[in-house]
Amino acid sequence: MKKCDDLLRREQHIDVAWNHHYEKAKRAYFTRLNGSIDTARLLLKQGLPFRGHDESKNSNNKGNFLEFYDCLVQHDIELNKAVTTNAAGNSCMLAPEIQRDIVECFANEVLHSILDELGNDVFCLLVDESRDVSCKEQMAVVLRYVDKYGIVKERFVGLVHVAETTSSHLKSSIDSLFAKFKLSLKQVRGQGYDGASNMRDTNCAFILLMYEKMVDSPT
């Protein structure tokens, strides 16, 4: 009879206790994640660096991200509880890898909004060299277009690493970027390369390709 009574008490079953613990841990996880996202949003909006020179627990200045996060923890009761009570050692959502993932998500959202605003309208392609600190060659790509309110906008859409700076390789890199963004060469109405001599052949190649597409088009 006692075992039968225990079986009828649903709230005491193992699966119920486990699901309760799981839901509690999941809520704490998302609370910590939202705290990291809010901190990253503030730093990105202000254009501030994330990392510090000494991010150890005993450091007086652990960097902007950790310092802002600690300040947020002190003023948010739910986040404070999720960090101090319900946080596992490997689930604090503060690692540099997590920070980079959050920044990449913000970058994708910004890029998506730029491409949505551009739509199928025409634009001007601006490309310039931007070598990083490790001396790796990069292309900085900017789109200039007019929005629906008639305002001219220039939007940075990304950096493209290039193995070499020959015109053929730069052209193939731009083609790959256009394919990734689902843009067409028919939308290009101007090009700017900051007077780079190795882009002259690329410019000619784009003009010929655009001409071929116009000839092949039934319109």
Side-chain angles (χ1 to χ4, degrees), residues 13-25:
H13 289 194
I14 295 177
D15 60 332
V16 175
W18 169 255
N19 288 334
H20 176 73
H21 175 76
Y22 173 77
E23 291 296 328
K24 184 177 180 181

Side-chain angles (χ1 to χ4, degrees), residues 39 42-43 48-49 63-73:
T39 303
L42 174 62
L43 296 178
L48 298 175
N64 290 332
F65 186 88
L66 295 180
E67 292 293 341
F68 275 102
Y69 190 87
D70 290 342
C71 180
L72 188 61
V73 168

Side-chain angles (χ1 to χ4, degrees), residues 188-219:
V188 179
R189 292 296 184 271
Q191 303 173 57
Y193 301 108
D194 197 22
S197 60
N198 60 337
M199 294 301 293
R200 292 175 182 173
D201 294 335
T202 305
N203 196 7
C204 294
F206 268 115
I207 293 175
L208 290 175
L209 185 58
M210 291 169 62
Y211 176 75
E212 292 174 359
K213 287 183 176 294
M214 291 174 63
V215 171
D216 295 338
S217 176
T219 58

Side-chain angles (χ1 to χ4, degrees), residues 9-204:
R9 294 176 182 175
R10 179 64 182 165
E11 66 277 3
Q12 296 182 358
H13 289 194
I14 295 177
D15 60 332
V16 175
W18 169 255
N19 288 334
H20 176 73
H21 175 76
Y22 173 77
E23 291 296 328
K24 184 177 180 181
K26 187 169 68 172
R27 288 194 299 269
Y29 173 86
F30 280 109
T31 301
R32 293 191 296 271
L33 178 60
N34 288 330
S36 296
I37 292 175
D38 291 340
T39 303
R41 181 188 290 113
L42 174 62
L43 296 178
L44 290 172
K45 186 177 181 180
Q46 299 299 324
L48 298 175
F50 279 45
R51 304 296 303 280
H53 295 291
D54 183 7
E55 297 185 348
S56 62
K57 293 183 179 180
N58 297 326
S59 174
N60 293 324
N61 186 356
K62 295 180 288 187
N64 290 332
F65 186 88
L66 295 180
E67 292 293 341
F68 275 102
Y69 190 87
D70 290 342
C71 180
L72 188 61
V73 168
Q74 295 176 6
H75 293 83
D76 190 322
I77 298 176
E78 291 296 326
L79 180 58
N80 185 287
K81 183 179 179 181
V83 170
T84 58
T85 306
N86 300 323
N90 59 349
S91 182
C92 294
M93 311 305 294
L94 299 176
E97 293 80 4
I98 300 296
Q99 299 177 28
R100 285 194 291 267
D101 288 343
I102 294 174
V103 172
E104 185 176 355
C105 290
F106 275 116
N108 291 334
E109 288 296 323
V110 172
L111 179 59
H112 182 71
S113 65
I114 292 173
L115 296 178
D116 279 348
E117 185 180 39
L118 177 61
N120 295 322
D121 293 338
V122 297
F123 60 88
C124 177
L125 174 65
L126 305 177
V127 178
D128 196 6
E129 178 187 4
S130 179
R131 182 180 298 180
D132 62 11
V133 294
S134 61
C135 297
K136 292 182 179 179
E137 294 291 344
Q138 300 178 126
M139 283 195 313
V141 182
V142 175
L143 302 182
R144 176 189 290 170
Y145 59 93
V146 180
D147 66 4
K148 61 182 180 180
Y149 301 106
I151 301 175
V152 179
K153 292 185 177 181
E154 292 185 357
R155 293 291 183 259
F156 171 75
V157 295
L159 287 172
V160 181
H161 287 276
V162 291
E164 51 184 287
T165 57
T166 60
S167 58
S168 59
H169 189 83
L170 294 178
K171 177 184 176 299
S172 63
S173 299
I174 295 175
D175 287 338
S176 301
L177 189 68
F178 272 36
K180 177 182 177 181
F181 294 160
K182 297 181 180 179
L183 297 174
S184 172
L185 287 174
K186 296 179 181 179
Q187 298 174 254
V188 179
R189 292 296 184 271
Q191 303 173 57
Y193 301 108
D194 197 22
S197 60
N198 60 337
M199 294 301 293
R200 292 175 182 173
D201 294 335
T202 305
N203 196 7
C204 294

